[in-house]
């Protein structure tokens, strides 16, 4: 994508996940996506315009068993994120009977605004996130493909 290199996007994903430790490898079934530097938790599309990262922290995170519980957390998350990023939207998402929370927001760094999609899941009581990012002005095919993967398939 013109004017944006992998480095700022990679830096953004790393900054968003500074408190999280590596997870088991994310399986990204997206044609043309490859691990970044051989790291199976960090993926990019062929153009380098979209990035995804999976992380697992040591932070306790509840397993939501109802949409209402996930929605309550989504509202708290929206308020919390809204203090440091813009255009925050959150919603509960069903993952085969367990619930997670999907957040989307804008993050501004070095003169570029990135649109972030981030899925919060409980992995046996520990927080696991799948985060995708691309420059907000980028409208390539990878953006919708990445967002659909995070919204519907990542689990």
């Amino acid at each position: 994508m013109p004017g944006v290199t992998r480095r700022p996007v990679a830096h953004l994903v790393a900054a968003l996940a500074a408190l999280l430790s590596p997870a088991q490898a994310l399986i990204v079934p997206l044609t043309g996506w490859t691990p970044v530097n051989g790291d199976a938790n960090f993926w990019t599309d062929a153009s380098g315009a979209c990035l995804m990262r999976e992380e697992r922290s040591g932070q306790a995170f509840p397993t939501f068993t109802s949409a209402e519980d996930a929605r309550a957390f989504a509202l708290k998350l929206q308020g919390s994120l809204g203090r440091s990023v813009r255009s925050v939207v959150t919603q509960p998402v069903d993952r085969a009977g367990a619930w997670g929370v999907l957040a989307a927001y804008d993050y501004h760094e070095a003169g570029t605004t990135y649109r972030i999609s981030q899925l919060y899941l409980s992995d046996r009581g520990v927080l696991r996130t799948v985060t995708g990012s691309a420059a907000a002005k980028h409208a390539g095919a990878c953006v919708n493909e990445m967002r659909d993967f995070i919204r519907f398939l990542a689990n």
Side-chain angles (χ1 to χ4, degrees):
M1 111 185 88
V4 178
T5 65
R6 285 186 191 182
R7 171 162 258 173
V9 176
H11 175 69
L12 167 67
V13 173
L16 291 172
L19 300 175
L20 303 176
S21 60
Q24 294 179 2
L26 176 65
I27 297 172
V28 179
L30 303 175
T31 303
W33 285 66
T34 58
V36 175
N37 297 323
D39 183 346
N41 296 309
F42 192 18
W43 291 75
T44 186
D45 73 303
S47 73
C50 294
L51 294 169
M52 274 192 286
R53 185 175 197 142
E54 177 190 34
E55 295 172 303
R56 187 171 187 262
S57 75
Q59 179 181 344
F61 191 75
T63 300
F64 302 118
T65 57
S66 71
E68 293 76 25
D69 290 343
R71 187 173 294 107
F73 175 80
L75 291 173
K76 288 179 187 175
L77 180 63
Q78 186 168 348
S80 177
L81 287 172
R83 291 191 287 267
S84 58
V85 296
R86 298 182 314 219
S87 304
V88 180
V89 178
T90 59
Q91 69 182 64
V93 290
D94 185 12
R95 289 297 187 265
W99 289 85
V101 172
L102 180 64
Y105 52 90
D106 290 341
Y107 178 83
H108 190 76
E109 178 182 79
T112 301
T113 299
Y114 298 93
R115 187 69 179 158
I116 309 299
S117 296
Q118 192 167 41
L119 180 63
Y120 293 75
L121 299 167
S122 179
D123 184 359
R124 292 170 279 166
V126 175
L127 176 62
R128 194 168 126 257
T129 58
V130 178
T131 305
S133 64
K137 66 181 179 180
H138 184 72
C142 70
V143 173
N144 288 333
E145 183 179 48
M146 174 183 67
R147 289 179 185 158
D148 285 349
F149 174 80
I150 292 171
R151 183 172 182 176
F152 299 112
L153 299 174
N155 59 27

